Each structure stands twice: as structure tokens, then as C-alpha cells.
Amino acid sequence: MSLTRSDVAARVLADCVPEPVDAFEAFAPVNIALCKYWGKRNALLNLPVNDSLSVSLAKKGSTTKVCWLPEQAEDEVILNGDAVDRDSSFYKKVVAHADLFRSLVPGALRVETVNSVATGAGLASSASGFAALTRALAGVYGLPLNDEQLSILARMGSGSASRSVYEGFVRWHKGVRADGMDSLARPLSEIWPDLRVGVLTLTSEVKKTGSREGMQRTVDSAILYGAWPEQAERDIARIEHAIAVRDFTLLGATSEQNALAMHATMLASWPPLLYWQPESVAVLQKVWQLRADGLQVYATMDAGPNVKLLFEAGSEADVRLAFPDIDVVVPFG
Ligand code: PMV
């Protein structure tokens, strides 16, 4: 019999004695994967095929306040100041995540989230959103959960949320257990104060294929996907090494190649999956030209058309000159 999300939540929360409070607020940062998560070994529990490694974007993220309202009949969800429709998928996902905890403490909740990243900015606010929600739920129910337990619970909302529990560099260990109790993220101890992540918002159109569906299609139909776990394993080792010895060229080159390899598996799916727009290709070609001209700048892309650039503080002025609309983030600010 396969395990449900509630079964796993019950295992994480097994020894907890709740001490609910009226309200609790928590923040979690968005993260950009340098070695990507693409493909699940268990779609229900969001258990990945490969380890992934990300960098969190410091102050860019989600702030979520959860109020416990035992007298109230129904949950309320508020996003960036507006009440969310009860029929929307966003409302249902938030309520389903809260339900993971509700066997311990019944009662309605008000969940208010403010994202400091614009919707459609090419930064996955679902990762920061589910991480902040998980922290706020644990807080409002007074559950003494550690970051690894929070990471397991956040993962069940959105895979990449497992990494948004932490600041800085973070590795999500895929784990091998069927219940996913070993599929969780841990932070790396290294910091890189000169590292910069530049976000280029090329279009804010809502994408047609979400990452959940896109991953499944790739796993099911792309023969090329067979090579992905090996690529990810090689890349994550290189990236960890690059971080340890502060080798920016190795970090940038490996991250870019990893992203392009992930997109190659998508393109090899059927029906084909291509998140890129002509503007995305133009940015990639400009990045390659800048590198040919001697500027150390690299690109990475997720399940959308926007491009994120990786560079160091010393290159920032030149990168800004080439991309005047870039939003530059200092992950270790
Ligand atoms: O966590 P999800 O379901 O939003 O998937 C994230 C997938 C990528 O952003 C493409 C890669 C990653 O590791 O963040």
C-alpha cells in the first residue's frame, strides 16, 4: 500500500505535543537551483530522482502569517492583500498543506502571504511560499520542529520548497526511503559574499505547463532523460567543489551546463516542452558573446522563459551595462 502525504506528516509530527498560539509569522527566501531538480521517483510525496543544490536569495521571498481561528468555519487565504477565491487551485493547495498539521490541532486558519518578488518575475514563489507556510504552521501550533523536519514537510507542498527552509547554499538530498524521511535539504557552511544573481524578467505571461506536469512528461517520454541522473550527480559534485575552493568559472560553467541539459531533456519529450521564448535565446546568445569577450557571466533557467545570470561583484558594472533591466540580488548580503 502506498503512503499518503498525511501518513508522512504523521511520522514527522509523531512526538510533537502542540501548544497552539493565536498567530505566528515566518519568512522564507526564494532559491535558484545551480544543479536542478527535475523528475520525481514519487509524484505524491515529491521525492526526486536526483540531488539538487541551490542558493537562496536572502531577502527576496515570502512572509506568511497564520492565525488560528477555532471559532471560524472555513479557512481564509490572503495573497498580497487580496482574498483568494475558495475555488482556486492556490486556495486548495494552501488548505491541503495546512491539513497535514490539522490532525493534531483542528480549527480554521487565516493564512496571509506577502511575496517580495513580483508574480511572474521568474522566481519561483511557490518554493518560498510553501517554506514560509510550513514554518508559520509549525509556529502557530507550537510544534518544536527542527529545520530538517520543516524541510520534509515543505517538500510535500513543492519540491524546491525543501531548499527554501535555509539561507545560502543548500543541498537537497534525494534520499532512498519510500516514505521520504531522508529526502530533505541541509545548508552548506560556505558563504560567497561576492556572488551575484541577476534576474532578467523577459515576460510575465503565465506558463502553460507547470513544473509538476513538465517533469512527469519528461520522465515518461524523453529517452534523453535516462542520462539526467548521471549529469546531475556529476554537476552537483563539481558545484560543491567550486564552492569549497571559490572557483567561480567552474561554478558558473557547471550551473549553466546543468540548466541547458535539463532543458534538453524537456525538448526531447513528447509532446515537446520548450519554456524558452525568442527573448530567452537572445539573452543566452548575448551571455555567450560577453564570455567570448572576456566577461565571467553565466546563465541559468528554470521552468519558464526568464533567465537568471550568475556573476561576481567585480563584473556587476559590466553586466548592468549589457542588461540595463537586470535585478541584481546579493545572496550573502
Ligand atoms: O519545486 P517545483 O515543483 O516548483 O520544481 C522546480 C523545478 C525547477 O525550478 C526547474 C528546478 C529546481 O530545482 O528548482
Side-chain angles (χ1 to χ4, degrees):
M1 205 184 68
S2 51
L3 285 159
T4 65
R5 287 151 35 93
S6 308
D7 295 333
V8 175
R11 285 183 193 187
V12 177
L13 303 174
D15 298 324
C16 289
V17 180
E19 288 181 34
V21 295
D22 290 340
F24 195 92
E25 187 176 279
F27 170 81
V30 293
N31 73 77
I32 300 293
L34 304 175
C35 179
K36 308 291 184 187
Y37 147 55
W38 197 249
K40 304 179 199 223
R41 64 181 165 90
N42 178 322
L44 188 68
L45 304 179
N46 287 340
L47 298 178
V49 166
N50 61 284
D51 282 26
S52 54
L53 194 151
S54 60
V55 61
S56 290
L57 297 192
K59 291 180 184 61
K60 277 198 193 296
S62 305
T63 302
T64 298
K65 182 177 177 187
V66 177
C67 301
W68 182 48
L69 307 166
E71 314 291 307
Q72 194 168 293
E74 269 193 285
D75 292 331
E76 274 175 73
V77 178
I78 297 151
L79 178 61
N80 294 330
D82 296 323
V84 175
D85 191 334
R86 290 196 160 83
D87 293 327
S88 68
S89 68
F90 186 87
Y91 181 91
K92 288 176 188 156
K93 279 188 211 162
V94 170
V95 169
H97 202 64
D99 286 344
L100 296 177
F101 294 74
R102 221 156 347 202
S103 57
L104 286 181
V105 185
L109 300 169
R110 184 192 305 126
V111 178
E112 291 170 72
T113 296
V114 176
N115 289 329
S116 68
V117 286
T119 312
L123 293 170
S125 50
S126 67
S128 56
F130 275 109
L133 176 61
T134 304
R135 249 188 214 291
L137 286 165
V140 83
Y141 293 139
L143 303 169
L145 298 174
N146 61 36
D147 284 347
E148 293 191 356
Q149 292 170 311
L150 293 173
S151 178
I152 292 173
L153 293 167
R155 186 200 74 227
M156 293 199 285
S158 160
S160 52
S162 65
R163 300 186 308 242
S164 273
V165 166
Y166 308 96
E167 304 283 340
F169 293 118
V170 181
R171 180 171 180 154
W172 173 14
H173 301 265
K174 63 182 163 71
V176 294
R177 287 177 55 155
D179 64 2
M181 293 293 276
D182 56 353
S183 183
L184 51 90
R186 293 196 186 100
L188 271 58
S189 56
E190 287 91 348
I191 62 162
W192 196 318
D194 273 356
L195 186 67
R196 300 289 180 269
V197 178
V199 181
L200 286 166
T201 304
L202 306 174
T203 152
S204 46
E205 245 175 67
V206 177
K207 58 191 172 199
K208 292 187 190 75
T209 312
S211 54
R212 174 172 288 272
E213 188 190 335
M215 277 183 210
Q216 205 49 51
R217 193 190 301 174
T218 311
V219 173
D220 291 345
S221 67
I223 291 175
L224 219 56
Y225 185 77
W228 171 252
E230 195 186 331
Q231 169 104 38
E233 201 175 322
R234 185 202 72 170
D235 291 346
I236 206 162
R238 282 190 185 173
I239 291 170
E240 278 213 342
H241 176 71
I243 292 169
V245 300
R246 280 279 170 94
D247 181 340
F248 179 71
T249 303
L250 184 63
L251 181 87
T254 312
S255 304
E256 183 174 304
Q257 195 184 13
N258 182 269
L260 296 178
M262 174 184 75
H263 284 274
T265 69
M266 298 175 189
L267 197 52
S269 306
W270 199 262
L273 187 58
L274 179 62
Y275 286 107
W276 302 5
Q277 291 295 328
E279 297 88 338
S280 324
V281 177
V283 168
L284 290 175
Q285 284 174 334
K286 194 163 172 181
V287 165
W288 296 333
Q289 185 58 52
L290 289 168
R291 274 216 303 276
D293 296 342
L295 189 64
Q296 282 294 297
V297 56
Y298 295 87
T300 184
M301 292 179 68
D302 293 293
N306 298 313
V307 184
K308 295 106 192 182
L309 302 185
L310 303 168
F311 49 95
E312 286 190 290
S315 308
E316 185 169 336
D318 288 333
V319 172
R320 281 187 187 276
L321 206 60
F323 300 100
D325 297 333
I326 200 164
D327 179 11
V328 177
V329 180
V330 184
F332 300 92

